[in-house]
Amino acid sequence: MAAGLASALPVPAALAQGAVSDGIVKIGILNDQSGVYADFGGKGSVEAAKMAVEDFGGKVLGAPIEVVNADHQNKPDVASNIARQWYDVDKVDTIMELTTSSVALAVQQLSREKKKINMVTGAATSELTGKQCSPYGFHWAYDTYSLAVGTGGALVEAGGKTWYFLTADYAFGHSLEEQTAKFVKSKGGQVLGQVRHPLSTSDFSSFLLQAQASKANIVGLANAGLDTSNAIKQAAEFGIVEGGQRLAALLFTLAEVHGLGLKSANGLVLTEGYYWDLDDKSRPFAERYMKRTGRMPNMVQAGTYSTVAQYLKAVQAAGTDDTDAVAKKLHELPVDDFFGRGGKVLANGRMVHDMYLFEVKKPSESKAPWDYYKHLATIPGDQAFMTVAQSGCQLAN
């Protein structure tokens, strides 16, 4: 694997070291490490980034590679301050992961001003490659559109014609609700209403009662992390599923399924860009990650490995860590690893790759630890993500 990552043409050592600013390539992983999304990405993403660096050989163009990390606490102002310190003082070359859409949008704007590359795996909003796109911004693992196409589309086709949304009240939740509602309506479905809740809510009772009273076929949970887990747990207390309604976890990953347990999560339909047990290509990384962390990776953590590896390939191919040169290579180079199989980067920075529709197994169906998913369908990348023209990104012009 290391040989494959570092397979670009060799560069003479003296020339290479001179082509790397400050003599070091520094990668920052900025995400939630203590809050509602700590399992979603968190320290697991940091370890994935370190694995990619180690597999690359620890150096690029003869210069050492360093990974730094910080907890942004899901606060855009905190994230922006850290990013500014990293860029201006600590000479960080690129910031990655960026769980939480409001944070990712803020850091992407700062990165554009500072002429620095940012690569997002943890945040969902399609605005990152839409109206707020950047020539230096890249969106890797998934977005709200792909989740709407996957989970939303599957449930409408299965008979879920009426929807009521329980939505996290910030950029990510709004975008996920909007994208899913559009897709539901395009398939002949109807949205009966929505209710917004603050991030990291502990009591969902009033919101769930409104969803229950709507009599909608589907209660769409346009939230993530512990918010989704807590909503599912409390929905069981109100007998929402027993009453004939179905829960749609629009952003739910392996980490949250593990935390919730199969007894509570079984039957949920969800969309991810990676599953450790999908096939022989997905398992080797997962097994190494498991030995290192004690957990199997989800799409955010696997996607973080992919972004770090691709960034280093781009630096190697460019022969420099100059931002414009590396961004050009990131747009040009194909993405073909265990995560982004046959992937390509569009002009707006969206990395297009296949997405996968899964159903969570019943406890009786699981044959081993972390054996949680049944693969229902593969959604080809060109269907899973918007085109540049659809996205509204002005870089297309």
Side-chain angles (χ1 to χ4, degrees), residues 119 140 281 306-307 309-310 313 329-345 350-353:
M119 302 180 74
W140 220 251
K281 193 168 184 178
S306 181
T307 57
Q310 195 71 8
K313 289 178 186 177
K329 288 299 180 182
L330 283 169
H331 281 101
E332 292 175 352
L333 292 174
V335 182
D336 195 13
D337 54 25
F338 68 86
F339 181 85
R341 307 176 187 201
K344 59 185 178 182
V345 177
R350 174 68 260 172
M351 198 275 277
V352 173
H353 59 98

Side-chain angles (χ1 to χ4, degrees), residues 109-154:
Q109 177 59 35
L110 177 65
S111 299
R112 182 171 187 162
E113 294 170 4
K114 297 289 183 180
K115 199 177 176 182
K116 295 284 189 177
I117 289 170
N118 67 277
M119 302 180 74
V120 179
T121 53
T125 179
S126 56
E127 282 297 289
L128 287 161
T129 52
K131 293 179 181 178
Q132 298 193 50
C133 65
S134 163
Y136 309 122
F138 298 85
H139 202 179
W140 220 251
Y142 71 104
D143 61 20
T144 49
Y145 184 87
S146 65
L147 298 176
V149 170
T151 309

Side-chain angles (χ1 to χ4, degrees), residues 14 60 74 78 80 89 120 138 181 198 248 265 280 305 327 333 337 343 351 393:
V60 60
N74 295 310
V78 171
S80 295
V89 179
V120 179
F138 298 85
D280 289 340
Y305 179 103
L333 292 174
D337 54 25
M351 198 275 277
C393 174

Side-chain angles (χ1 to χ4, degrees), residues 176-236:
L176 184 53
E177 177 194 314
E178 178 185 6
Q179 296 285 358
T180 307
K182 284 181 180 178
F183 204 81
V184 167
K185 292 173 183 177
S186 73
K187 293 286 185 179
Q190 182 181 4
V191 176
L192 303 183
Q194 63 280 318
V195 63
R196 305 280 170 81
H197 71 82
L199 178 66
S200 194
T201 298
S202 59
D203 183 3
F204 283 88
S205 57
S206 64
F207 310 120
L208 288 166
L209 285 171
Q210 292 179 65
Q212 190 174 42
S214 74
K215 306 295 185 183
N217 302 141
I218 306 292
V219 178
L221 302 177
N223 48 22
L226 288 177
D227 280 342
T228 307
S229 297
N230 288 333
I232 292 170
K233 290 176 184 176
Q234 292 175 40

Side-chain angles (χ1 to χ4, degrees), residues 85-392:
Q85 166 78 19
W86 277 359
Y87 287 149
D88 293 347
V89 179
D90 300 331
K91 307 303 180 184
V92 170
D93 295 289
T94 176
I95 297 178
M96 301 185 184
E97 219 271 41
L98 294 168
T99 298
T100 312
S101 291
S102 53
V103 163
L105 289 167
V107 172
Q108 180 156 293
Q109 177 59 35
L110 177 65
S111 299
R112 182 171 187 162
E113 294 170 4
K114 297 289 183 180
K115 199 177 176 182
K116 295 284 189 177
I117 289 170
N118 67 277
M119 302 180 74
V120 179
T121 53
T125 179
S126 56
E127 282 297 289
L128 287 161
T129 52
K131 293 179 181 178
Q132 298 193 50
C133 65
S134 163
Y136 309 122
F138 298 85
H139 202 179
W140 220 251
Y142 71 104
D143 61 20
T144 49
Y145 184 87
S146 65
L147 298 176
V149 170
T151 309
L155 290 173
V156 173
E157 291 171 6
K161 297 297 185 181
T162 57
W163 286 63
Y164 189 93
F165 288 97
L166 197 158
T167 302
D169 193 11
Y170 74 106
F172 149 68
H174 299 174
S175 180
L176 184 53
E177 177 194 314
E178 178 185 6
Q179 296 285 358
T180 307
K182 284 181 180 178
F183 204 81
V184 167
K185 292 173 183 177
S186 73
K187 293 286 185 179
Q190 182 181 4
V191 176
L192 303 183
Q194 63 280 318
V195 63
R196 305 280 170 81
H197 71 82
L199 178 66
S200 194
T201 298
S202 59
D203 183 3
F204 283 88
S205 57
S206 64
F207 310 120
L208 288 166
L209 285 171
Q210 292 179 65
Q212 190 174 42
S214 74
K215 306 295 185 183
N217 302 141
I218 306 292
V219 178
L221 302 177
N223 48 22
L226 288 177
D227 280 342
T228 307
S229 297
N230 288 333
I232 292 170
K233 290 176 184 176
Q234 292 175 40
E237 297 172 8
F238 286 98
I240 286 179
V241 175
E242 289 82 354
Q245 293 174 294
R246 191 170 185 181
L247 299 177
L250 297 171
L251 176 50
F252 211 55
T253 75
L254 192 74
E256 290 75 53
V257 171
H258 181 71
L260 191 58
L262 292 183
K263 184 177 180 181
S264 298
N266 79 85
L268 286 173
V269 175
L270 53 87
T271 304
E272 285 213 56
Y274 168 86
Y275 176 47
W276 76 269
D277 202 26
L278 183 67
D279 56 26
D280 289 340
K281 193 168 184 178
S282 61
R283 293 186 193 105
F285 166 74
E287 290 165 357
R288 292 194 302 127
Y289 183 93
M290 178 70 173
K291 289 179 182 178
R292 187 165 180 143
T293 67
R295 301 170 62 88
M296 284 297 183
N298 63 7
M299 66 174 168
V300 175
Q301 293 145 353
T304 299
Y305 179 103
S306 181
T307 57
V308 172
Q310 195 71 8
Y311 176 79
L312 294 174
K313 289 178 186 177
V315 172
Q316 185 86 352
T320 175
D321 64 349
D322 173 76
T323 296
D324 285 314
V326 175
K328 184 174 184 292
K329 288 299 180 182
L330 283 169
H331 281 101
E332 292 175 352
L333 292 174
V335 182
D336 195 13
D337 54 25
F338 68 86
F339 181 85
R341 307 176 187 201
K344 59 185 178 182
V345 177
L346 304 181
N348 62 352
R350 174 68 260 172
M351 198 275 277
V352 173
H353 59 98
D354 292 348
M355 296 289 288
Y356 308 99
L357 187 68
F358 299 107
E359 182 178 343
V360 179
K361 292 182 175 181
K362 297 175 183 177
S364 61
E365 295 173 321
S366 179
K367 305 304 181 185
W370 297 90
D371 176 25
Y372 294 160
Y373 289 172
K374 290 186 286 188
H375 180 209
L376 300 181
T378 297
I379 308 162
D382 290 340
Q383 296 177 25
F385 296 98
M386 285 185 281
T387 65
V388 177
Q390 288 173 317
S391 73

